[in-house]
Amino acid sequence: MIYNGKLLKAANKWLRWALIEATWIAVGCSGYFGSLYRHHRARGKKANTSITIVARRMSTILWHLLKERRSFKEDFSLSPVAPCTD
């Protein structure tokens, strides 16, 4: 079961802000995060709620990457969205 709860209120507010901002960019650039966002919007969730769900998923991925000391590699050949070049 995947928990889609709120981000931690006890976390650093600037880190939370940066994660939400990064999530908005990732939704437009990443096929995985974009499809997750669209899935929750299609289920009737509001935009900010959907972004929080995606940010929580992103934070879980970041935690695992840091714990395992490896870098993130997205397979763009499977992505329906072209990678951002900015």
Side-chain angles (χ1 to χ4, degrees):
M1 170 128 191
I2 297 174
Y3 176 69
N4 290 325
K6 296 179 180 179
L7 290 175
L8 295 174
K9 291 293 182 183
N12 183 311
K13 68 178 182 177
W14 296 110
L15 185 59
R16 263 195 334 259
W17 172 82
L19 185 61
I20 294 293
E21 292 299 316
T23 304
W24 279 110
I25 300 298
V27 163
C29 294
S30 169
Y32 174 73
F33 293 121
S35 65
L36 183 63
Y37 174 79
R38 287 187 300 277
H39 169 74
H40 286 289
R41 288 290 287 158
R43 290 182 56 215
K45 302 287 185 186
K46 294 182 180 179
N48 286 336
T49 303
S50 298
I51 280 295
T52 304
I53 292 169
V54 176
R56 185 169 180 83
R57 177 77 58 91
M58 187 183 286
S59 68
T60 303
I61 291 170
L62 290 171
W63 183 80
H64 283 287
L65 291 174
L66 289 171
K67 180 181 171 191
E68 297 169 7
R69 293 184 178 176
R70 61 187 182 111
S71 59
F72 178 73
K73 303 272 190 213
E74 183 172 10
D75 186 6
F76 290 112
S77 65
L78 301 175
S79 177
V81 179
C84 287
T85 57
D86 293 342

